[in-house]
């Protein structure tokens, strides 16, 4: 692309001089504008920036020194050349102080003019190059600033804590998550030493990496709040220069508290499950050894008694395994449900009939108030739910006690309440009711069998249908379990049919 011609403004009230200079300058390939006086010269000279200005010192409307001052005020780097037929030392000093590049007495010959123009344009080229470099630097600084701002925004938005350390063990970069995860309350500044800020575990990790040449990364758990109230994983990796020398490191802090709690719960669950499985197996093993050793004498009744005990403990074991399998399937989402619409009142009557023999044996009085209400659910699963609650109401009741079962509509829910007059629970026992393998242990529960998983299954079934379960209990007075399950969309029709029947 052809270079744009340099622009020159000639300000001179003398027509002959003005036009003569224009012709000479245009012969050099320059673009030339002219002004016939000081006022016009200021207007044109300030309206746009010229590469060169020729300014006559003596003009009738405005002195050349004022024209020079105005142009330099608008463009401090403007190259202004003062020409005059009245050269004097004073005027030369004055215009130089105002920033004039050269001072030329009239008349001057073309060679002298060409030489001055050449020199001035070289100076102008240097000024433009300097200006270009400054603009490029400013642009890069702006881009760098924007890039740093974006980087800080991204790092600041991370949930993981980020910490960058230099070779001198000084903090170079960190984010808010880093301070929060390690619960650092003090003010932290770039340049702070690590000893002043970090836990000793992480300091040791950092020093180990800085001292080693081939170490790539270290992972370490740091307990912020013992025993496992808050645990973080510090993953520290060296930062190396192209020569392979470690110049610093970056540490990523991640909250693993929930994972640690799950690990602890899993370990506790395995221990409890092993204990609960071992107890009935050990009992059955002991009974069988007695029978094989024939150490019980010759009484067939005694042998039958131990066989029945073995059978009872074996059933407990099977129930426990079934509960564990049900919990596992529900947690894994592998339960296949056959959803159907059915009358919940009919199911509850059926389940009460199932326990009739045990209820009569313990002389328990049962009161029912069951409205015809339908729900959409897997019937067998809901039967399992109320089997467990009714079984508990019978097992944990007192001899000659009572059970009251009510079914009512509560908004868009079917509300089932099962109230017994049994052992009841203390507040501490009630708070642990839905823990795996938890069973209240007192003088009243000593001879009552159970796995401690039944209510866990109940809770998971209720949750699976977006229902709710509430428990009220008073020790040695009784308990009330209330279950709410969503009504069927066909409930209105079914309830009307039930009421007519």
């Amino acid at each position: 692309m052809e270079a744009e011609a340099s622009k020159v403004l000639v300000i001179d009230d003398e027509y002959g001089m003005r036009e003569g200079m224009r012709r000479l300058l245009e012969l050099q390939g320059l673009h030339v504008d002219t002004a016939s006086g000081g006022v016009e010269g200021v207007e044109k000279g300030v309206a746009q920036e010229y590469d060169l200005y020729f300014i006559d010192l003596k003009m009738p409307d405005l002195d050349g020194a004022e024209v020079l001052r105005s142009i330099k005020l608008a463009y401090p780097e403007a190259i202004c050349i003062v020409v005059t037929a009245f050269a004097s030392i004073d005027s030369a000093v004055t215009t130089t102080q105002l920033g004039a590049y050269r001072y030329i007495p009239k008349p001057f010959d073309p060679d002298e003019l060409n030489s001055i123009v050449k020199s001035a344009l070289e100076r102008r080229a240097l000024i433009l190059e300097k200006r270009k470099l400054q603009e490029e630097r400013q642009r890069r600084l702006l881009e760098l600033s924007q890039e740093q701002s974006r980087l800080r925004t991204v790092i600041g938005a991370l949930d993981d804590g980020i910490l960058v350390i230099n070779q001198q063990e000084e903090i170079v970069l960190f984010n808010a998550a880093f301070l929060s995860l390690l619960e650092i309350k003090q003010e932290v500044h770039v340049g702070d030493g690590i000893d002043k800020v970090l836990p000793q575990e992480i300091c040791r990790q950092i020093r180990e990496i800085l001292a080693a040449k081939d170490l790539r990364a270290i992972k370490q758990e740091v307990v912020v709040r013992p025993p496992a109230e808050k645990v973080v994983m510090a993953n520290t990796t060296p930062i190396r220069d192209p020569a392979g020398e470690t110049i610093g490191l970056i540490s990523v802090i991640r909250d693993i508290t929930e994972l640690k709690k799950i690990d602890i719960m899993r370990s506790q669950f395995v221990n409890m499950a092993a204990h609960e499985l071992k107890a009935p197996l050990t009992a059955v093993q002991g009974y069988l050894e007695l029978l094989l050793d024939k150490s019980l004498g010759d009484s067939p009744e005694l042998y039958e008694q131990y066989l029945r005990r073995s059978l009872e403990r074996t059933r407990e074991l099977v129930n426990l395994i079934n509960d564990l399998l049900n919990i596992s399937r529900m947690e894994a989402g592998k339960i296949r449900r056959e959803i159907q619409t059915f009358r919940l009142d009919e199911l509850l009557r059926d389940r009460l009939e199932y326990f009739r023999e045990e209820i009569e044996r313990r002389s328990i009085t049962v009161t029912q108030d069951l409205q015809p209400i339908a729900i959409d659910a897997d019937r067998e699963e809901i039967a399992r739910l109320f089997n467990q609650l009714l079984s508990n109401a019978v097992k944990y009741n007192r001899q000659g006690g009572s059970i009251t079962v009510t079914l009512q509509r509560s908004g868009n829910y079917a509300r089932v309440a099962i109230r017994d007059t049994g052992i009841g629970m203390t507040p501490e026992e009630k708070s642990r009711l839905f823990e795996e393998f938890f069973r209240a242990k007192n003088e009243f529960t000593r001879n009552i069998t159970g796995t401690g998983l039944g209510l866990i299954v109940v809770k998971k079934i209720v949750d699976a249908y977006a229902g709710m379960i509430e428990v009220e209990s008073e020790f040695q007075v009784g308990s009330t379990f209330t279950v709410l399950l969503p009504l069927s969309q066909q409930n209105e029709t079914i309830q009307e049919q039930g009421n007519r029947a």
Side-chain angles (χ1 to χ4, degrees):
M1 187 173 64
E2 187 176 353
E4 187 177 355
S6 297
K7 295 182 294 185
V8 180
L9 178 61
V10 177
I11 306 170
D12 199 314
D13 63 316
E14 186 179 344
Y15 177 79
M17 176 59 71
R18 187 169 70 243
E19 287 302 311
M21 288 183 66
R22 183 177 63 79
R23 287 193 296 272
L24 288 172
L25 294 171
E26 285 179 344
L27 287 174
Q28 297 185 46
L30 304 177
H31 174 86
V32 182
D33 289 334
T34 58
S36 59
V39 174
E40 183 185 2
V42 170
E43 290 177 354
K44 287 186 175 181
V46 171
Q48 62 174 308
E49 184 179 15
Y50 286 85
D51 293 299
L52 298 180
Y53 294 86
F54 283 92
I55 304 171
D56 184 18
L57 191 57
K58 297 293 184 183
M59 291 180 284
D61 58 345
L62 189 63
D63 186 72
E66 290 301 320
V67 175
L68 172 63
R69 183 181 289 108
S70 298
I71 291 173
K72 293 293 283 187
L73 185 62
Y75 306 109
E77 294 180 324
I79 297 181
C80 299
I81 302 167
V82 174
V83 294
T84 180
F86 306 96
S88 68
I89 293 176
D90 290 341
S91 61
V93 171
T94 299
T95 53
T96 301
Q97 289 176 339
L98 289 175
Y101 173 67
R102 292 291 295 271
Y103 182 90
I104 311 173
K106 293 179 182 178
F108 45 82
D109 58 43
D111 291 339
E112 186 179 5
L113 177 63
N114 291 339
S115 175
I116 292 173
V117 168
K118 180 182 178 182
S119 172
L121 288 178
E122 289 175 352
R123 173 69 179 272
R124 178 63 176 174
L126 291 175
I127 290 172
L128 293 178
E129 183 62 22
K130 174 188 172 187
R131 186 182 296 177
K132 181 180 176 182
L133 292 174
Q134 287 177 333
E135 290 173 351
E136 179 69 15
R137 180 172 177 272
Q138 290 296 327
R139 186 180 62 79
R140 290 182 178 179
L141 287 174
L142 179 61
E143 291 177 351
L144 181 61
S145 174
Q146 291 172 339
E147 187 64 29
Q148 289 177 339
S149 177
R150 283 194 290 269
L151 180 61
R152 283 195 294 270
T153 301
V154 170
I155 291 176
L158 292 175
D159 291 332
D160 291 342
I162 302 295
L163 174 70
V164 179
I165 302 291
N166 63 17
Q167 184 69 30
Q168 289 70 45
E169 300 182 1
E170 296 171 335
I171 294 175
V172 175
L173 178 69
F174 63 94
N175 63 356
F178 161 76
L179 302 177
S180 174
L181 288 172
L182 292 179
E183 298 188 352
I184 296 173
K185 307 298 183 185
Q186 69 190 80
E187 287 192 10
V188 179
H189 305 282
V190 171
D192 284 347
I194 58 174
D195 280 330
K196 180 182 176 183
V197 176
L198 301 179
Q200 288 305 307
E201 297 97 317
I202 299 181
C203 287
R204 283 195 294 272
Q205 196 180 78
I206 289 171
R207 291 196 174 97
E208 187 174 350
I209 287 183
L210 290 176
K213 290 186 176 180
D214 301 326
L215 199 56
R216 293 187 175 181
I218 293 179
K219 285 185 177 181
Q220 183 178 5
E221 291 181 9
V222 179
V223 179
V224 180
R225 265 185 276 140
E229 289 297 317
K230 187 169 189 179
V231 185
V232 299
M233 175 67 77
N235 187 349
T236 304
T237 306
I239 303 171
R240 304 191 194 283
D241 63 13
E245 295 294 326
T246 300
I247 58 174
L249 54 82
I250 180 169
S251 186
V252 179
I253 311 292
R254 178 163 296 175
D255 190 345
I256 60 168
T257 305
E258 291 304 317
L259 293 176
K260 292 299 292 181
K261 286 182 178 178
I262 291 172
D263 280 345
I264 293 172
M265 290 173 62
R266 184 184 293 118
S267 176
Q268 290 175 340
F269 180 80
V270 169
N271 287 336
M272 285 190 292
H275 174 76
E276 295 296 328
L277 289 168
K278 182 180 179 182
L281 276 175
T282 303
V284 171
Q285 183 183 11
Y287 296 150
L288 292 176
E289 287 174 352
L290 286 174
L291 295 174
L292 288 173
D293 292 344
K294 300 185 186 308
S295 56
L296 297 175
D298 298 329
S299 172
E301 292 79 10
L302 196 55
Y303 280 90
E304 183 178 344
Q305 179 184 347
Y306 275 86
L307 284 172
R308 289 187 181 281
R309 287 184 184 179
S310 297
L311 182 61
E312 184 179 337
R313 300 309 298 268
T314 305
R315 284 173 177 160
E316 290 176 18
L317 192 59
V318 171
N319 289 336
L320 172 59
I321 292 172
N322 284 335
D323 285 343
L324 288 171
L325 289 174
N326 283 329
I327 292 172
S328 175
R329 290 191 190 105
M330 282 188 278
E331 289 182 343
K334 294 182 178 178
I335 291 286
R336 177 175 292 178
R337 296 185 172 91
E338 295 184 7
I339 305 298
Q340 57 180 304
T341 302
F342 61 89
R343 290 267 296 272
L344 188 54
D345 52 310
E346 293 177 349
L347 182 142
L348 288 169
R349 288 192 189 92
D350 181 66
R351 293 299 88 195
L352 282 167
E353 181 61 23
Y354 177 80
F355 290 102
R356 186 173 61 83
E357 183 179 345
E358 179 68 10
I359 288 171
E360 289 178 353
R361 189 179 66 79
R362 302 194 60 192
S363 302
I364 294 173
T365 302
V366 174
T367 302
Q368 304 178 41
D369 180 11
L370 307 176
Q371 296 180 7
I373 290 177
I375 63 172
D376 296 329
D378 184 302
R379 187 183 177 92
E380 289 189 8
E381 196 169 42
I382 299 302
R384 191 183 311 134
L385 186 163
F386 288 111
N387 268 359
Q388 184 64 49
L389 295 182
L390 290 172
S391 173
N392 286 351
V394 174
K395 282 197 303 183
Y396 293 96
N397 216 320
R398 58 183 169 80
Q399 186 73 21
S402 66
I403 296 174
T404 302
V405 182
T406 61
L407 170 60
Q408 299 171 328
R409 176 170 178 167
S410 177
N412 294 321
Y413 288 86
R415 183 178 184 277
V416 181
I418 300 173
R419 180 166 61 87
D420 66 68
T421 56
I423 298 169
M425 292 174 280
T426 64
E428 194 274 337
E429 290 169 343
K430 181 184 167 187
S431 67
R432 301 182 59 192
L433 196 59
F434 295 104
E435 291 181 11
E436 289 89 349
F437 297 110
F438 173 74
R439 298 188 66 230
K441 294 181 180 178
N442 53 54
E443 57 181 313
F444 304 106
T445 62
R446 187 178 300 121
N447 297 318
I448 299 175
T449 60
T451 64
L453 294 174
L455 288 178
I456 304 298
V457 175
V458 167
K459 181 71 166 56
K460 289 187 178 298
I461 292 174
V462 172
D463 290 344
Y465 290 94
M468 290 174 279
I469 183 168
E470 300 168 353
V471 183
E472 296 177 7
S473 187
E474 186 175 351
F475 187 56
Q476 295 190 44
V477 174
S479 302
T480 301
F481 284 78
T482 303
V483 173
L484 289 96
L485 296 170
L487 292 174
S488 167
Q489 293 181 352
Q490 304 176 44
N491 181 69
E492 303 298 338
T493 304
I494 292 174
Q495 189 171 16
E496 187 177 340
Q497 293 171 350
N499 289 332
R500 284 201 299 269

